Amino acid sequence: MGSTGPSPNMSRNSSSNSLYSLGGSRKGSKMGSKKGSSNNLQDQVRGLAAKLSGVTLATEAQMASLKLSDSSTITDTFQTLLDSALGIEKFNMGAPKTASSTTSRSNAAADLAAAVKTLGVRSLKKYGILKSIKSTLQANNPVANALEGCLLICRGLCELIGQGVEPFIIPLLPLILNACSHSAGTVRDASEDCSRTIISILNTHAVCIVVPVLFKALEHTEWRVKSLALSTLSDLAKNKPLEVSVLLPKILPKLTPVVWDTKTQVAKGAASTILECCKTNLNPDVRDAIPAVVNAICKPSETIKAIEKLMHTTFIVSVDASTLSILCPVLSRALKEKLTLHKRMASIVIDNMSKLVDSPTAVAPFGPLLVPDLKKVCENVQFEEIRDVAMKALKTLTKALGHSSVEEATERYAQEMLEEQRRIEEEQKRIENERLLIEKKAKDEEAAELEERRKFKEAMDAARRLEKLEEDKVKKEKEEDDKKKEKAKKDTKKGGKCQGCGLKKCKKSCLFFGGAM
């Protein structure tokens, strides 16, 4: 495959390698990522996929014929294309069996997108296509072919219809990103291609909806989903730079912790994405310093190099919230450096920057980050010249924040810190109380269990004693009965008369004379 990519009219039936144009074949890109020594994330990213092309609805005449068909024919066509795109094989008597492949599913997805374009996007709901796609993407263990087919359908709709399908496709973006965690490589590739296509046709007003979805994907446990979310955000920064620049105060705090991810691919992807997002900043004064600042964000040891770069920056245009979100974290870190010279450099940059802040609202979120550190420099540094520089920067920053004096700003942020400390203490107290309640409940349950065991043991002992008494009583009665029977056997008189002579008083001639009377 040539590096310039296939022509738009090239059919995907020719070869599976024709699916990817700008990055070479899929196999070649993987081998390059293994053998190459570059650490750039872009070396590991697959090439852009060629657009899907249909077979049965590839021409205007075929689309017009479908539009003129009756309702049952249209329904059967949609169902046949959907089944083919999902890899559902049908067996016809007398016809040879053909196994579903990525190429056939891609062609069916393109044909289905063409049918939707012909009959309108409402046909997605009318013929149950959207419901089938959603149920497959939400399934716990979907079939790989069906999952890939759903992703190909979403991609085909975006490529062929464009922004008209945004209300149907954007709600599926979280599921599309999650599909990148699948074990099948074809599904992961389809997920990546689909997310890229969605970003390429994204409406300006939809950026604020997509960005929180990408933030949520960064919390996923699977590293491939995180990596895809980062690359998608990077593509968004390239396609919608103005909208991303406005959202930088929200984007950078979410991306910065990802730099320390344990997975190398995710950490490198986060660094690359931060750089792409920061490049959307419109301030020409800090444009040359952005690579150094981003490097300092990712590597704290490079903070001084970034401050030195900013020291040579002349601020001319107004400084907005986007610019502040890039610079303030590094400046705050520089104010905490051990060397007083570095504190002085950071104070000078803050002073120069604060003079051109466009509004107090823009700098308000960063006041708690810089004011306390500047105040510590003013109070703790022993060199008067450096204390004066820090005090000057503090006054300029205070004015930019809209406060009348340093004391007012300091008091305000001190009050905020006290409230935050109080909130933390209350939360700790609540957690401690809950822990004590849980321990008390556990002790009460243990005591109740011991008491129940004691009562049960006493009851069992009492039952055994009663049983023994009953056995003793029965045994005693039995012994008495045996004695009576034995006495009755030895008794010579029955009814008061002798059993030998029949008299009450035996004669001397009686055998029982003198015996027991």
Side-chain angles (χ1 to χ4, degrees):
M1 184 187 298
S3 61
T4 57
S7 62
N9 297 325
M10 181 180 292
S11 174
R12 296 186 61 160
N13 288 329
S14 59
S15 172
S16 61
N17 289 339
S18 65
L19 294 174
Y20 304 98
S21 57
L22 297 183
S25 65
R26 186 182 308 172
K27 182 178 179 181
S29 64
K30 288 184 178 180
M31 290 177 64
S33 64
K34 289 182 180 179
K35 295 183 179 180
S37 59
S38 175
N39 291 329
N40 191 354
L41 179 69
Q42 299 300 327
D43 294 341
Q44 303 174 8
V45 176
R46 295 166 47 253
L48 297 177
K51 288 187 177 181
L52 300 177
S53 59
V55 176
T56 60
L57 295 176
T59 63
E60 295 292 338
Q62 292 171 332
M63 296 181 187
S65 176
L66 175 65
K67 193 171 184 179
L68 296 175
S69 302
D70 55 18
S71 178
S72 61
T73 302
I74 293 174
T75 303
D76 293 341
T77 301
F78 270 102
Q79 189 61 46
T80 301
L81 291 175
L82 179 62
D83 291 344
S84 180
L86 298 182
I88 300 176
E89 300 179 6
K90 294 186 177 181
F91 301 95
N92 297 324
M93 296 299 295
K97 176 184 175 182
T98 57
S100 176
S101 63
T102 299
T103 302
S104 63
R105 291 191 291 273
S106 301
N107 294 334
D111 290 331
L112 187 60
V116 173
K117 181 180 179 180
T118 302
L119 300 177
V121 293
R122 292 185 179 180
S123 58
L124 287 171
K125 287 189 175 181
K126 182 177 180 181
Y127 297 102
I129 299 172
L130 189 64
K131 182 179 179 181
S132 179
I133 293 174
K134 190 174 182 180
S135 61
T136 303
L137 291 175
Q138 290 178 336
N140 291 330
N141 294 310
V143 180
N145 290 346
L147 188 55
E148 182 189 5
C150 290
L151 297 171
L152 291 171
I153 292 172
C154 294
R155 175 183 155 201
L157 292 170
C158 293
E159 289 179 350
L160 198 59
I161 301 175
Q163 294 181 354
V165 295
E166 277 188 348
F168 304 100
I169 299 299
I170 290 181
L172 300 177
L173 184 57
L175 301 175
I176 293 172
L177 294 172
N178 290 340
C180 194
S181 62
H182 201 273
S183 58
T186 54
V187 175
R188 296 197 296 268
D189 294 343
S191 174
E192 181 180 343
D193 295 335
C194 186
S195 60
R196 284 183 176 182
T197 307
I198 293 173
I199 296 302
S200 65
I201 60 104
L202 198 64
N203 184 17
T204 300
H205 302 288
V207 174
C208 59
I209 301 175
V210 171
V211 170
V213 174
L214 299 179
F215 289 165
K216 189 67 177 178
L218 292 177
E219 302 174 1
H220 203 278
T221 55
E222 175 62 37
W223 71 269
R224 289 188 178 91
V225 178
K226 295 180 183 179
S227 181
L228 179 58
L230 291 170
S231 62
T232 303
L233 185 56
S234 182
D235 292 339
L236 185 63
K238 296 175 183 177
N239 290 301
K240 302 293 180 183
L242 182 60
E243 289 75 14
V244 172
S245 177
V246 174
L247 295 174
L248 274 179
K250 295 181 179 179
I251 292 176
L252 291 181
K254 292 289 185 178
L255 292 182
T256 302
V258 188
V259 174
W260 315 111
D261 195 274
T262 55
K263 198 69 177 179
T264 305
Q265 293 89 332
V266 178
K268 291 181 179 180
S272 177
T273 304
I274 289 175
L275 181 59
E276 290 296 335
C277 292
C278 290
K279 284 181 179 179
T280 62
N281 183 260
L282 301 178
N283 193 320
D285 300 335
V286 300
R287 187 168 299 160
D288 294 338
I290 281 179
V293 173
V294 172
N295 194 28
I297 293 174
C298 301
K299 298 179 181 179
S301 59
E302 303 292 328
T303 300
I304 304 307
K305 291 183 180 180
I307 298 300
E308 291 175 350
K309 189 74 174 177
L310 291 172
M311 278 284 293
H312 297 87
T313 300
T314 302
F315 291 93
I316 299 175
V317 300
S318 60
V319 178
D320 57 1
S322 174
T323 307
L324 291 169
S325 65
I326 299 173
L327 302 182
C328 286
V330 178
L331 292 171
S332 175
R333 190 184 297 163
L335 290 173
K336 297 182 177 69
E337 288 287 329
K338 293 182 179 181
L339 293 179
T340 55
L341 179 61
H342 298 159
K343 300 177 187 290
R344 178 182 180 277
M345 294 166 59
S347 300
I348 292 175
V349 175
I350 293 172
D351 183 30
N352 296 334
M353 176 187 69
S354 301
K355 292 176 182 178
L356 293 173
V357 171
D358 56 359
S359 66
T361 306
V363 74
F366 308 100
L369 188 65
L370 298 178
V371 170
D373 292 334
L374 277 173
K375 193 169 184 297
K376 288 180 181 179
V377 175
C378 296
E379 294 175 351
N380 300 331
V381 175
Q382 59 179 342
F383 299 103
E384 184 177 357
E385 190 267 338
I386 296 178
R387 291 201 303 270
D388 293 340
V389 173
M391 180 58 69
K392 182 181 178 183
L394 183 58
K395 289 181 179 179
T396 308
L397 180 60
T398 301
K399 185 178 180 181
L401 288 166
H403 302 303
S404 58
S405 63
V406 175
E407 289 74 14
E408 180 183 346
T410 305
E411 182 179 357
R412 175 183 174 184
Y413 293 120
Q415 185 66 26
E416 290 180 357
M417 286 189 289
L418 287 175
E419 291 178 359
E420 181 68 14
Q421 183 66 24
R422 190 181 302 111
R423 187 189 66 79
I424 293 174
E425 291 177 355
E426 290 177 355
E427 184 68 14
Q428 290 177 345
K429 186 177 180 181
R430 183 186 65 80
I431 295 173
E432 182 66 18
N433 291 335
E434 289 183 355
R435 186 183 65 81
L436 293 175
L437 288 175
I438 292 173
E439 290 180 355
K440 184 177 181 301
K441 183 178 180 181
K443 289 181 179 179
D444 292 342
E445 291 178 353
E446 184 179 0
E449 185 179 358
L450 291 175
E451 181 66 18
E452 185 177 355
R453 289 181 179 179
R454 185 185 64 80
K455 290 181 179 180
F456 179 77
K457 184 178 179 181
E458 291 179 353
M460 293 299 295
D461 292 340
R464 283 193 291 268
R465 287 195 295 269
L466 289 174
E467 185 177 354
K468 191 173 184 311
L469 290 174
E470 186 68 22
E471 290 178 355
D472 294 342
K473 182 179 179 181
V474 172
K475 184 177 180 181
K476 186 176 180 181
E477 290 178 353
K478 185 178 179 181
E479 290 178 351
E480 291 178 354
D481 291 341
D482 292 342
K483 288 180 180 180
K484 289 180 180 180
K485 290 180 180 179
E486 187 67 25
K487 184 178 180 182
K489 288 180 181 179
K490 294 180 179 180
D491 192 4
T492 58
K493 296 260 179 129
K494 190 174 182 180
K497 296 181 179 179
C498 179
Q499 296 182 17
C501 61
L503 300 175
K504 290 183 178 181
K505 189 175 181 180
C506 298
K507 297 180 178 179
K508 292 182 180 181
S509 59
C510 180
L511 295 173
F512 298 101
F513 178 78
M517 299 302 290

